[in-house]
Amino acid sequence: MSRPEDTLAADVHYDDTEARKYTTSSRIQNIQASMTRRALELLDLKSPSFILDIGCGSGLSGEILSDVPEDEGGPHVWVGMDISPSMLDTALQRDVEGDLFLADIGQGVPFRAGSFDAAISISAIQWLCNAETSDTAPSTRLSRFFNGLYASLKRGGRAVCQFYPKNDVQKQMITAAAVKAGFGAGLLEDDPNTKNVKLYLVLTVGKDATGGKDISTVVENMDGVDILDQRKKGKGGKGEIKKGSKGWIIKKKEQMERKGKIVKATSKYTGRKRRIQF
């Protein structure tokens, strides 16, 4: 069966007709609700949170966020971003509770650093693996997206992205881009080895201020989980960058840029040792 992202861009594919068909399908409504609840389970939010819904479409997943009862940590406040004007228009007609933002996630996540407690994405990020033109490489679009998402989440924030990769190459491309952006990452498969397999990329922005759990402990006891955490552990050891060195300074600059900070450009003088002046 053909995949829509192989033939048309998302904003072209989801025109008024497709947006209406997608939203009124009881089958799609049930699937979206099920996957959104699964994403919320993985986020494990203990109190009402400010959530970014990436690829929010007509607001099917957002409705679930708004309806989380108080005894389960809700209700949540959310902002949805999507590239399809028709999908967002349908969401407006349905009077969803979230704020809506028209944007291409392949160009980044245009919000102030640390704005959101968490983020979800249901059946959206695989679209980033397809380039409509020669100057929109999938690797570039994925990098912009994950760097922007990393910056938009608060320290200790989490994101869960459910997606349908076409093959293992796409799966590796997506997860590698997330890890490169600085996330701790874990892959969880529901219904493995079936035609209904669903893949969830669970991401964390370090540990929270109280020393809370990162992805390694969030999913360590779940079946079918592959942890993809390439961050360095502990102090010292082979490959450790010496504090104050040029490599250490460049790494710190990259971390600050991902958080939306403005840093000075790196040059041949970066990290240069200076003589002691008498």
Side-chain angles (χ1 to χ4, degrees):
M1 188 173 70
S2 63
R3 297 164 64 98
E5 62 266 28
D6 289 339
T7 56
L8 293 170
D11 54 336
V12 178
H13 174 74
Y14 288 111
D15 57 13
D16 291 345
T17 301
E18 284 296 322
R20 185 167 54 253
K21 188 189 305 182
Y22 186 95
T23 306
T24 56
S25 167
S26 58
R27 174 179 169 274
I28 288 177
Q29 289 175 7
N30 290 333
I31 293 173
Q32 285 281 110
S34 174
M35 292 191 297
T36 303
R37 292 189 182 100
R38 182 59 159 146
L40 280 169
E41 179 186 349
L42 294 170
L43 285 175
D44 193 27
L45 300 170
K46 303 299 185 184
S47 59
S49 301
F50 190 34
I51 300 176
L52 175 63
D53 187 354
I54 301 152
C56 65
S58 56
L60 295 178
S61 50
E63 285 183 326
I64 304 299
L65 300 179
S66 298
D67 290 342
V68 174
E70 189 174 342
D71 59 355
E72 294 180 16
H76 303 297
V77 176
W78 59 278
V79 172
M81 58 185 297
D82 201 279
I83 195 174
S84 167
S86 295
M87 278 291 204
L88 295 179
D89 185 53
T90 302
L92 286 172
Q93 292 175 32
R94 298 175 66 241
D95 198 25
V96 297
E97 293 188 24
D99 291 324
L100 304 174
F101 191 78
L102 178 65
D104 175 8
I105 62 173
Q107 297 300 319
V109 180
F111 295 99
R112 183 178 296 178
S115 294
F116 296 97
D117 301 308
I120 67 164
S121 180
I122 307 297
S123 309
I125 62 173
Q126 70 269 8
W127 288 85
L128 293 171
C129 294
N130 296 77
E132 290 89 43
T133 62
S134 59
D135 60 348
T136 55
S139 58
T140 301
R141 290 172 62 75
L142 284 165
S143 177
R144 287 173 183 161
F145 166 64
F146 282 114
N147 281 327
L149 178 59
Y150 186 96
S152 72
L153 291 169
K154 71 175 187 180
R155 183 72 176 173
R158 296 179 187 170
V160 175
C161 301
Q162 181 277 324
F163 66 108
Y164 294 112
K166 182 163 60 175
N167 48 41
D168 285 342
V169 173
Q170 280 195 0
K171 182 167 70 173
Q172 291 300 323
M173 188 190 306
I174 290 170
T175 53
V179 172
K180 188 175 181 180
F183 285 107
L187 273 176
L188 172 66
E189 277 191 0
D190 279 354
D191 305 317
N193 303 316
T194 72
K195 66 177 182 179
N196 296 318
V197 61
K198 298 175 185 66
L199 201 63
Y200 296 84
L201 181 62
V202 189
L203 306 170
T204 54
V205 183
K207 297 182 179 180
D208 60 30
T210 60
K213 299 176 180 179
D214 71 358
I215 189 60
S216 302
T217 48
V218 170
V219 298
E220 64 183 353
N221 295 319
M222 293 182 179
D223 294 331
V225 176
D226 185 14
I227 296 175
L228 306 168
D229 194 348
Q230 298 176 5
R231 297 168 297 174
K232 291 183 175 62
K233 305 294 183 182
K235 296 182 179 179
K238 190 174 181 180
E240 183 72 13
I241 301 175
K242 184 179 178 181
K243 185 174 182 179
S245 67
K246 184 172 183 176
W248 182 86
I249 293 171
I250 292 173
K251 182 180 177 182
K252 287 294 181 183
K253 284 184 176 183
E254 291 174 349
Q255 290 176 345
M256 291 177 71
E257 285 178 336
R258 285 198 295 266
K259 293 177 182 178
K261 309 277 187 179
I262 298 175
V263 299
K264 291 183 178 180
T266 300
S267 71
K268 65 180 180 179
Y269 300 109
T270 300
R272 180 185 63 172
K273 292 189 180 298
R274 292 172 171 77
R275 290 183 182 179
I276 299 174
Q277 298 295 322
F278 291 98

